[in-house]
Amino acid sequence: TFIGAEYSAGTIETTLLWETRRRRDLGSKIAVAAVSAALIHIVVLGFLVAALMPSALWRGTSAGTDADFWLGLIGVILRGGIAAAAVAAMALSVSTLTRNTVGGVVALLGYLAVSPAIGASLARGLRSYDLTENLAVFVNGGEVARYIRNEGGYFESVYHHGGNIALVIILAYAAVAIASGLVVFARRDID
């Protein structure tokens, strides 16, 4: 909604009268969206952990929650914040391309819904480079699988790359979306 609301309300023209450097304007919007999404993710999950702790201590058990558990949980929350920042930057960039919040949301949610099915059936060789697969692997700290055909004709999963390469792939997707948004925003007439 950072940019879609400006387009629908017609305030984008006013913003561009104030700040005529379009790339700088959109870049600051992308930075704010990314940082906001990361902070919201981290705060909400931190609140969820804090809210569930009393029930775990009162009705459940906290056996096995040693320092490694807490470090792993903090790692997952922080990596999730980074992933949320990248997705927010991509969503804002796509919303800029479509001049509409709904366009950005539908494009990304549609991709996130359809890409696992396509990767599982049609494009198995490209599945290891899929955004959804790499987001899940990066947040969980696992490894991305790829499928190869064995002698029996069946597909078998083998590991392709880990979380660090998954982050690079996520950032590449974000960079392409951001660059596209910046180029189109800088060249498009605002009406």
Side-chain angles (χ1 to χ4, degrees):
T1 63
F2 274 54
I3 192 96
E6 285 192 74
Y7 275 115
S8 62
T11 58
I12 192 75
E13 294 93 356
T14 308
T15 303
L16 292 176
L17 286 172
W18 182 263
E19 175 58 63
T20 58
R21 294 170 287 196
R22 290 184 177 204
R23 287 189 182 101
R24 182 177 176 177
D25 181 55
L26 185 61
S28 65
K29 290 177 190 308
I30 291 170
V32 168
V35 169
S36 297
L39 289 176
I40 289 169
H41 175 84
I42 291 167
V43 167
V44 167
L45 285 183
F47 178 74
L48 181 65
V49 169
L52 292 175
M53 280 303 298
S55 65
L57 295 173
W58 185 42
R59 291 282 189 183
T61 180
S62 60
T65 55
D66 56 356
D68 288 339
F69 169 81
W70 290 108
L71 288 175
L73 181 63
I74 290 169
V76 167
I77 291 172
L78 293 177
R79 288 190 303 270
I82 293 169
V87 170
M90 286 185 272
L92 190 131
S93 298
V94 173
S95 293
T96 301
L97 294 172
T98 62
R99 294 183 181 187
N100 192 322
T101 300
V102 175
V105 171
V106 167
L108 281 173
L109 289 179
Y111 175 80
L112 294 175
V114 172
S115 70
I118 291 173
S121 60
L122 301 174
R124 283 191 178 98
L126 298 175
R127 184 174 180 199
S128 59
Y129 301 104
D130 181 44
L131 177 63
T132 56
E133 184 82 18
N134 284 287
L135 283 168
V137 165
F138 173 68
V139 172
N140 293 324
E143 294 184 4
V144 175
R146 70 180 173 98
Y147 292 93
I148 58 170
R149 189 179 295 268
N150 61 19
E151 289 128 14
Y154 297 102
F155 287 99
E156 155 181 13
S157 174
V158 295
Y159 292 113
H160 191 261
H161 60 262
N164 293 335
I165 301 298
L167 176 62
V168 170
I169 291 171
I170 292 165
L171 293 177
Y173 273 98
V176 168
I178 291 168
S180 300
L182 288 171
V183 167
V184 169
F185 188 69
R187 293 182 179 185
R188 180 186 288 159
D189 282 341
I190 304 297
D191 46 4

